[in-house]
């Protein structure tokens, strides 16, 4: 009877261990990006390499691996770490949330970039570090916003077509292309409210010689 009691105690202890190991919290200590595997420290245990769960891995795929020190969950069928899947993730002292506002949907990246949608303010914000580039290729990018404001410089490396009225409030500088020809062509009437100056000659202020005052008119400008 004593032996049976000891065996029963051992079995219950092992069963309890397996139950407790079914869901455990650990921290990432190693990553194999090519194999898509991770090792997690669970207390004093370091289970073997295991896959981490992803958002999509079918006809659509996502790639966002965990990081060293990230606190994760081990889901281990039958309490066996060798069969575990690594689930994301929990905040820790090392990695704090980028916001605690319930209206925010926020992602903060390693380089400091922050992408945030504020459902209360209806505002989508992207805060990007210096040197960041944004690309949309190929095809067409369409903005249906009523107003679009660019607070920095804008460079257009090919043609610019404006189908509506264009207002240049701080002047403009137009240069001829490398192939020569006119720097600017206007189809229709060109109006200037002050003056037009060509090679320091005023359109309205220049004078013509070889004429006498009175009702006579000069020849056309040469």
């Amino acid at each position: 009877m004593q032996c049976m009691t000891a065996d029963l105690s051992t079995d219950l202890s092992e069963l309890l261990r397996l139950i407790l190991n079914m869901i455990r919290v650990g921290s990432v200590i190693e990553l194999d990006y090519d194999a898509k595997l991770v090792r997690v420290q669970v207390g004093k245990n370091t289970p073997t390499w295991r896959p981490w769960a992803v958002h999509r891995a079918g006809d659509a795929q996502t790639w966002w691996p965990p990081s060293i020190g990230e606190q994760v969950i081990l889901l281990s069928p039958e309490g066996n770490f060798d069969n575990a899947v690594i689930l994301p993730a929990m905040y820790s002292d090392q990695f704090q949330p980028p916001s605690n506002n319930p209206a925010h949907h926020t992602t903060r990246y390693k380089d400091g970039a922050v992408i945030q949608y504020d459902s209360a303010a209806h505002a989508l914000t992207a805060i990007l570090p210096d040197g960041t580039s944004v690309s949309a290729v190929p095809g067409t990018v369409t903005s249906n916003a009523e107003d679009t404001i660019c607070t920095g410089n804008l460079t257009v490396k090919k043609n610019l077509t404006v189908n509506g009225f264009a207002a240049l409030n701080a002047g403009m500088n137009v240069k001829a292309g490398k192939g020569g020809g006119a720097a600017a062509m206007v189809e229709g009437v060109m109006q200037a409210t002050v003056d037009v100056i060509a090679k320091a000659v005023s359109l309205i202020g220049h004078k013509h010689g070889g004429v006498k005052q009175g009702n006579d008119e000069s020849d056309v400008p040469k």
Side-chain angles (χ1 to χ4, degrees):
M1 180 67 85
Q2 184 176 3
C3 181
M4 291 180 62
T5 303
D7 290 343
L8 181 60
S9 176
T10 300
D11 291 343
L12 290 175
S13 177
E14 177 63 13
L15 179 60
L16 179 61
R17 185 188 69 83
L18 293 174
I19 292 174
L20 292 175
N21 283 342
M22 292 180 67
I23 302 176
R24 294 289 298 271
V25 175
S27 298
V28 175
I29 58 173
E30 290 185 85
L31 287 156
D32 187 332
Y33 299 107
D34 293 330
K36 284 80 69 180
L37 298 175
V38 62
R39 294 191 72 186
V40 175
Q41 183 78 39
V42 184
K44 296 181 180 180
N45 300 312
T46 306
T48 187
W49 292 94
R50 299 304 302 154
W52 66 81
V54 298
H55 291 143
R56 291 295 304 275
D59 55 1
Q61 311 89 36
T62 57
W63 173 254
W64 199 347
S67 54
I68 299 297
E70 187 169 0
Q71 193 164 264
V72 294
I73 301 170
L74 279 78
L75 179 62
S76 305
E78 300 177 354
N80 187 347
F81 287 157
D82 291 342
N83 298 327
V85 175
I86 311 305
L87 305 179
M90 292 179 294
Y91 300 123
S92 63
D93 292 339
Q94 183 179 358
F95 298 111
Q96 293 291 314
S99 174
N100 59 4
N101 188 326
H104 289 176
H105 184 282
T106 309
T107 301
R108 179 177 58 212
Y109 294 89
K110 184 178 180 180
D111 62 355
V114 175
I115 308 297
Q116 178 175 281
Y117 181 69
D118 185 335
S119 59
H122 312 297
L124 177 63
T125 305
I127 302 174
L128 306 177
D130 290 342
T132 300
S133 63
V134 179
S135 300
V137 293
T140 302
V141 176
T142 301
S143 172
N144 293 318
E146 183 175 349
D147 295 292
T148 301
I149 299 174
C150 177
T151 60
N153 297 321
L154 177 64
T155 300
V156 180
K157 292 189 175 181
K158 288 191 176 181
N159 299 326
L160 174 65
T161 300
V162 180
N163 292 325
F165 181 77
L168 304 177
N169 297 323
M172 67 177 181
N173 181 21
V174 182
K175 296 181 180 179
K178 294 181 179 180
M185 297 181 65
V186 178
E187 296 182 5
V189 177
M190 182 174 180
Q191 295 182 339
T193 60
V194 179
D195 198 357
V196 176
I197 298 175
K199 289 187 177 181
V201 177
S202 167
L203 178 64
I204 62 175
H206 73 282
K207 297 180 179 180
H208 292 267
V211 298
K212 59 183 180 180
Q213 295 187 6
N215 294 326
D216 292 344
E217 294 183 351
S218 68
D219 293 333
V220 298
K222 296 181 180 180

